[in-house]
Amino acid sequence: KVLAGFYNDPEFANVDSSENESILPFKGTILRTKSGKISSPVEEPCVSCTTFNILAPIYKRLDQQNQSVRESDFRAFWLARNERIVDWLLYESSSIICLQEFWVGNEELVHMFEERLSAAGYKTFKLARTNNRGDGLLTAIHQDYFKVLNYRELLFNDCGDRVAQLLHVKSVVPFSINQNNCVEQEILIVNTHLLFPHDSSLSIARLHQVYQILLYLETYQQENKLTQMPVILCGDWNGSKRGHVYKFLRSQGFVSSYDIAHECSDSEADADKWISHRNHRGNICGVDFIWLRNPNKSRKPLKISWAEAAFGIIKFQLQKASLAENDAFAFLRADNSVDHITYSAFCDALRQVNLTGLSYGLSFQDTKDLWVQADFDGNGVLDYEEFKRIWNSTWSDHMDEDCSSDDSNEGNEEETVGFTVKNAALFPREVEKGIWPENYSLSDHARLTAVFSPVRLRCPRRSP
């Protein structure tokens, strides 16, 4: 085996080889033993990032026949499993670690994670979900790589009691982009865990969560007069590449690091190439992502992207009700004799498909904003042409072009630093082929690690 020597090393005795996760550390990362000893040098400038939903013991079912029996009732079980999780995290020694379903409600487990990560050189930040749900997030930043400049907490206050962490960090050792240019690069990092889609009406709530993250990122950069910098979004997104959240993030210039590393496209053919989760219903799906957005990526205005995503959800709900284009138009105009859709009929239709009238649905202002976007000529009603403009909108334009490709920006550019995706891998490795191994017991999620290399970019000057 690749790690035969590693399994025989007494300093790693707690790592369970039965998890079938044999892989060498990524080239360019620092590997430390539990004693803190550096066992391999950095070979080139790079940043590694791991995201992992570690399955909180309060949710881990031990008996499928009796769903109330949870791992949290058996200290020896949850402690041993979580110690193995920390063993793997310390073995990989990523620059950035983002954990979801971290059992913040258990002081012993929290202390174990914080103590071991701190001893290995990490600075940790934990955040509980609202309404005392018991679990939350943990983000750890290796202090050999980054200094934390700021830390913010985002509370969505939605039906799922979800939260997010924002960290603004700066590289400790300057990145050497070329022989004459070294920079202490700043990065924005987000760790989150989106709402599980128990039914399709929750799509709007999930979209809102991502919209709030991106809006907060924009506001944070504006308020702090920050120059352009890369953004890394990590977490369990509880949605696949087919979903509205995925398409929304793509329209905002983000790329999936794993898909870039493995040359997977957004096409339907590549939608199920890999998986990362077996959920409580027994379904396998790919929901864990490390998103990257470089500062030279073009993107649509955030509010327009959000409106397009929301209209996509409206269309999905109407199609779910077996309504084709003509039928949907008739439904939205409430079968009135008029040949247009009124605002009141539009609102009533959204209520009937469970997108308004609920605490997590579209708000009054959301609905009004969508109407303004749809009423292209501003005459107060939607005719059939305006309706078709909504119905037939596509997500094919992901705005992936570099800003520097636009000749109109010549002479008004600035040099900045971004990242290229050097490598990415899921563990256990079987999930990369769409197979969930039955002998895997570390979590109901796979662990995703990506490695980024700094790259010099040119893009238009933007006002902070």
Side-chain angles (χ1 to χ4, degrees):
K1 288 187 178 181
V2 176
L3 293 183
F6 159 73
Y7 293 137
N8 295 325
D9 186 339
E11 289 195 288
F12 292 100
N14 289 336
V15 178
D16 184 0
S17 62
S18 68
E19 296 300 340
N20 195 21
E21 301 191 43
S22 301
I23 185 171
L24 285 171
F26 285 119
K27 178 183 177 184
T29 58
I30 292 179
L31 172 62
R32 286 176 173 75
T33 64
K34 291 181 183 178
S35 62
K37 178 183 177 182
I38 297 177
S39 58
S40 64
V42 175
E43 299 184 15
E44 63 181 303
C46 66
V47 172
S48 54
C49 180
T50 295
T51 186
F52 192 18
N53 181 322
I54 60 175
L55 181 56
I58 52 177
Y59 303 136
K60 183 173 174 59
R61 299 168 174 85
L62 297 183
D63 185 352
Q64 294 303 315
Q65 304 302 317
N66 184 355
Q67 298 277 316
S68 64
V69 179
R70 302 295 173 98
E71 185 189 55
S72 53
D73 297 325
F74 303 90
R75 177 182 178 274
F77 288 8
W78 60 254
L79 186 58
R81 181 171 67 88
N82 280 275
E83 283 182 335
R84 293 206 313 275
I85 289 171
V86 178
D87 290 336
W88 277 111
L89 294 174
L90 295 182
Y91 173 59
E92 284 185 340
S93 194
S94 289
S95 320
I96 304 160
I97 297 173
C98 295
L99 304 181
Q100 304 84 43
E101 286 198 26
F102 179 64
W103 193 14
V104 295
N106 185 283
E107 291 184 4
E108 183 180 6
L109 182 139
V110 170
H111 178 73
M112 185 268 289
F113 269 84
E114 291 182 337
E115 183 177 53
R116 293 190 62 188
L117 289 171
S118 176
Y122 288 93
K123 186 171 185 178
T124 61
F125 302 83
K126 66 178 184 295
L127 175 61
R129 286 169 62 190
T130 51
N131 292 323
N132 297 313
R133 287 297 188 113
D135 68 305
L137 307 170
L138 176 75
T139 301
I141 306 296
H142 205 297
Q143 296 178 94
D144 282 356
Y145 289 94
F146 294 111
K147 176 183 178 182
V148 178
L149 302 180
N150 206 345
Y151 168 71
R152 297 287 181 87
E153 298 177 348
L154 288 71
L155 310 180
F156 296 137
N157 298 314
D158 57 27
C159 63
D161 298 308
R162 302 292 170 166
V163 295
Q165 296 172 296
L166 168 66
L167 291 95
H168 177 192
V169 304
K170 180 168 70 172
S171 60
V172 171
V173 178
F175 292 148
S176 178
I177 305 304
N178 55 43
Q179 292 182 344
N180 303 315
N181 188 8
C182 292
V183 295
E184 293 179 342
Q185 179 60 32
E186 295 183 25
I187 308 171
L188 293 177
I189 303 163
V190 173
N191 181 17
T192 194
H193 182 188
L194 296 191
L195 179 68
F196 184 83
H198 292 284
D199 62 70
S200 58
S201 66
L202 294 174
S203 296
I204 285 292
R206 291 162 40 71
L207 188 64
H208 260 303
Q209 290 167 353
V210 181
Y211 176 72
Q212 288 181 59
I213 289 173
L214 300 189
L215 183 61
Y216 194 90
L217 282 168
E218 279 193 358
T219 303
Y220 178 82
Q221 289 182 272
Q222 291 169 359
E223 289 180 347
N224 292 278
K225 297 181 171 57
L226 299 178
T227 57
Q228 302 180 73
M229 63 185 67
V231 178
I232 297 175
L233 306 182
C234 299
D236 173 4
W237 299 85
N238 260 324
S240 73
K241 292 175 66 173
R242 292 187 174 91
H244 302 286
V245 164
Y246 179 92
K247 296 169 183 176
F248 177 47
L249 284 167
R250 293 289 286 117
S251 74
Q252 282 296 296
F254 286 93
V255 296
S256 160
S257 58
Y258 183 87
D259 290 313
I260 291 295
H262 295 267
E263 299 182 341
C264 297
S265 69
D266 289 340
S267 69
E268 183 68 21
D270 286 350
D272 298 314
K273 272 196 170 181
W274 57 271
I275 59 173
S276 67
H277 178 39
R278 181 166 66 179
N279 65 29
H280 61 280
R281 296 172 178 171
N283 301 322
I284 55 174
C285 43
V287 300
D288 299 271
F289 291 87
I290 298 176
W291 292 96
L292 168 68
R293 184 172 73 190
N294 275 321
N296 70 328
K297 284 294 182 181
S298 296
R299 56 188 185 271
K300 297 178 182 179
L302 181 57
K303 201 162 190 177
I304 291 176
S305 275
W306 176 85
E308 289 182 346
F311 282 129
I313 292 173
I314 293 171
K315 178 179 179 178
F316 175 83
Q317 290 294 88
L318 294 175
Q319 288 180 325
K320 186 181 173 185
S322 301
L323 294 175
E325 182 178 312
N326 291 336
D327 297 327
F329 182 71
F331 175 75
L332 287 170
R333 65 184 176 86
D335 291 323
N336 292 327
S337 57
V338 295
D339 60 354
H340 55 252
I341 303 168
T342 64
Y343 178 66
S344 60
F346 178 71
C347 293
D348 186 58
L350 295 186
R351 181 187 58 76
Q352 291 185 58
V353 293
N354 295 321
L355 293 178
T356 62
L358 302 169
S359 59
Y360 52 82
L362 291 166
S363 67
F364 171 81
Q365 189 59 52
D366 292 335
T367 306
K368 196 71 178 176
D369 289 343
L370 287 176
W371 178 260
V372 171
Q373 292 280 349
D375 183 14
F376 190 68
D377 60 13
N379 67 349
V381 297
L382 302 185
D383 59 31
Y384 190 65
E385 289 303 313
E386 288 172 316
F387 165 76
K388 283 201 302 183
R389 186 168 167 266
I390 299 169
W391 189 263
N392 296 322
S393 64
T394 67
W395 294 96
S396 59
D397 179 13
H398 291 310
M399 304 294 285
D400 278 342
E401 299 81 9
D402 292 345
C403 296
S404 56
S405 64
D406 185 354
D407 293 337
S408 64
N409 293 315
E410 190 173 350
N412 191 33
E413 293 180 336
E414 61 182 337
E415 189 172 275
T416 186
V417 175
F419 289 113
T420 58
V421 180
K422 181 181 175 185
N423 204 346
L426 285 156
F427 312 93
R429 299 305 294 269
E430 290 94 331
V431 302
E432 297 189 323
K433 299 178 181 179
I435 301 169
W436 190 264
E438 293 300 324
N439 65 338
Y440 176 66
S441 60
L442 210 58
S443 175
D444 59 353
H445 283 258
R447 187 171 74 254
L448 171 61
T449 296
V451 177
F452 306 103
S453 293
V455 62
R456 184 174 52 183
L457 303 170
R458 295 196 65 80
C459 55
R461 296 183 186 277
R462 294 176 185 168
S463 299

